[in-house]
Amino acid sequence: MDLKLEVVVLPVSDVDRAKAFYESAGFRVDVDKAASEEWRAVHLTPPGSECSIMFGTGLTSAEPGSAQGLYLVVSDIEKARTELVGRGIDVSDIFHDAGGVIYHGHEGGDIVHNGQGQERLAGLHPDRTSYASFATFSDPDGNGWVIQEVMQRLPGR
């Protein structure tokens, strides 16, 4: 059986502000539908992604900004960061882990290091290993995104 992640619902406080932010980041607007003043859904898809995001009015009771650790995978993190910055998105500098550990905790839209042997170092991973170089950004509400460079996927992915 295939189970495919299709949509992630993000909690936002201002639907129009969030829509403008994600459009400026290059996400495609698929749906913007309001059934009433109490219900509106905005559905957007990142370039090249099969999974989308959705936010709106009446969709979730989660606190705005509480979604953390949303990963966007790119084949060239330097190019992706440059493009997002050029679109007006405030993206962190590129970094990697000293120990090559790929698991990270998330707090307030940024990666925090919660385990032994994890130390955030500036720049690309020295070996340019897949899954090892990162950058982060947050939407206007603080929902936290991680950009991760993957040039070669693990087997079965």
Side-chain angles (χ1 to χ4, degrees), residues 15-92:
V15 176
D16 291 320
R17 180 181 70 175
K19 180 181 176 188
F21 174 83
Y22 286 106
E23 281 184 291
S24 70
F27 288 41
R28 179 188 73 233
V29 177
D30 300 314
V31 174
D32 185 346
K33 180 92 171 157
S36 68
E37 286 190 27
E38 291 81 35
W39 191 91
R40 177 181 174 194
V42 178
H43 182 275
L44 300 102
T45 304
S49 180
E50 292 188 28
C51 185
S52 303
I53 61 170
M54 185 167 39
F55 49 81
T57 306
L59 297 182
T60 181
S61 60
E63 287 294 317
S66 61
Q68 300 298 313
L70 303 160
Y71 276 68
L72 292 171
V73 172
V74 299
S75 60
D76 185 331
I77 197 164
E78 291 173 307
K79 182 178 175 185
R81 183 185 181 282
T82 297
E83 184 173 331
L84 286 168
V85 168
R87 292 173 164 272
I89 307 301
D90 183 16
V91 182
S92 76

